[in-house]
Amino acid sequence: MPLYRDFSDDTATILVWKYDENDELNIDELLEPENAEKVKDYHPKKLLEVLMVRRLLKSIKPDSKILYKEREPFLSPKDAEISITHSYPFAAIAISKNKIGIDIEKFNPKILRVIDKFTYENERDFIPFDTEVVFYTIIWSVKESMYKIHHSKHWSLKKHYEVRPFELKHLHSIKCRVHDDQISDELKARVEFFDEYCFTVVEE
């Protein structure tokens, strides 16, 4: 199981794996019994993503499980924070002493069809026309990563998650914010590119 990328830092272990058809993923060994019902109707590729994340976890914390509370993953025993993401053939996991959110997205021009769903018009002034797909993919991914730290079924990526203007040459300290009438939490995102994908890390 060769790692594809290791983006670990001083506070978190952050690993990315790219699936290869020669990789063996035994569902009986990797999947927690508590999650058997959850995955029983998954598409084969989605099931592979789930098993890849478990295989990554075994390499870091072999005695831990990934369980869910209202669709949000947590470690059992809960001795660290966790975030997971996948987009076939990639899967990634982050284990940290602090809250952390990670996300992986493939660059795809189709994102331009939905920019009104996650950005306001006045948030777009800084985006160059010739690199719109790159910028909007980053913004979406950063907001998804923030959502994994601060999430609520009553919040929207458009209204409550903000990504400040940034440049592509400065992708390791993008300023971002989660806010509502009660809180305003300033955060920083780190963005990495590989293959045709954007990988985002937000740590508290």
Side-chain angles (χ1 to χ4, degrees):
M1 181 195 145
L3 280 177
Y4 186 77
R5 291 286 190 276
D6 185 339
F7 295 121
S8 303
D9 57 27
D10 292 340
T11 60
T13 300
I14 306 166
L15 306 178
V16 181
W17 182 19
K18 184 177 183 180
Y19 179 71
D20 182 281
E21 291 184 358
N22 294 320
D23 292 319
E24 292 186 12
L25 297 171
N26 188 322
I27 189 170
D28 295 323
E29 293 177 1
L30 296 173
L31 186 70
E32 305 85 355
E34 296 92 332
N35 292 322
E37 184 67 19
K38 177 182 174 66
V39 307
K40 67 181 178 64
D41 295 322
Y42 276 15
H43 185 279
K45 284 186 178 179
K46 187 172 183 180
L47 181 58
L48 281 176
E49 294 169 346
V50 169
L51 297 179
M52 288 164 68
V53 167
R54 269 65 186 176
R55 182 82 171 269
L56 286 169
L57 178 65
K58 295 289 185 188
S59 71
I60 309 167
K61 297 173 73 66
D63 297 324
S64 294
K65 296 180 180 181
I66 298 175
L67 303 180
Y68 295 86
K69 181 179 180 181
E70 298 179 358
R71 297 179 60 191
E72 294 300 322
F74 67 91
L75 275 181
S76 177
K78 199 174 189 314
D79 54 0
E81 300 291 336
I82 187 174
S83 184
I84 61 178
T85 186
H86 35 70
S87 179
Y88 186 86
F90 291 101
I93 190 170
I95 305 288
S96 176
K97 60 184 180 183
N98 303 319
K99 284 190 175 181
I100 189 167
I102 61 173
D103 184 68
I104 184 170
E105 301 289 341
K106 188 172 185 178
F107 293 111
N108 189 328
K110 290 182 180 179
I111 197 169
L112 300 180
R113 303 176 188 172
V114 298
I115 59 175
D116 287 331
K117 294 184 181 296
F118 65 95
T119 63
Y120 289 107
E121 194 167 333
N122 62 6
E123 292 182 280
R124 309 169 196 159
D125 297 342
F126 72 99
I127 297 175
F129 177 76
D130 60 342
T131 48
E132 282 184 308
V133 172
V134 174
F135 273 86
Y136 285 120
T137 303
I138 292 171
I139 291 170
W140 173 269
S141 190
V142 170
K143 290 190 176 190
E144 284 283 340
S145 294
M146 284 194 286
Y147 178 83
K148 292 177 180 180
I149 295 177
H150 287 287
H151 56 85
S152 167
K153 63 183 179 181
H154 304 296
W155 286 359
S156 76
L157 293 185
K158 182 171 182 175
K159 186 175 181 180
H160 298 105
Y161 300 85
E162 177 185 359
V163 180
R164 304 274 169 73
F166 61 91
E167 299 178 15
L168 295 183
K169 61 183 178 181
H170 298 301
L171 291 179
H172 281 194
S173 58
I174 296 176
K175 293 181 180 179
C176 48
R177 181 172 75 114
V178 181
H179 60 95
D180 65 7
D181 294 337
Q182 305 295 322
I183 68 163
S184 180
D185 195 358
E186 301 283 343
L187 299 164
K188 283 188 179 180
R190 170 166 50 118
V191 176
E192 308 281 354
F193 295 160
F194 51 81
D195 284 19
E196 298 175 358
Y197 287 79
C198 165
F199 182 71
T200 302
V201 181
V202 177
E203 297 180 74
E204 275 203 330

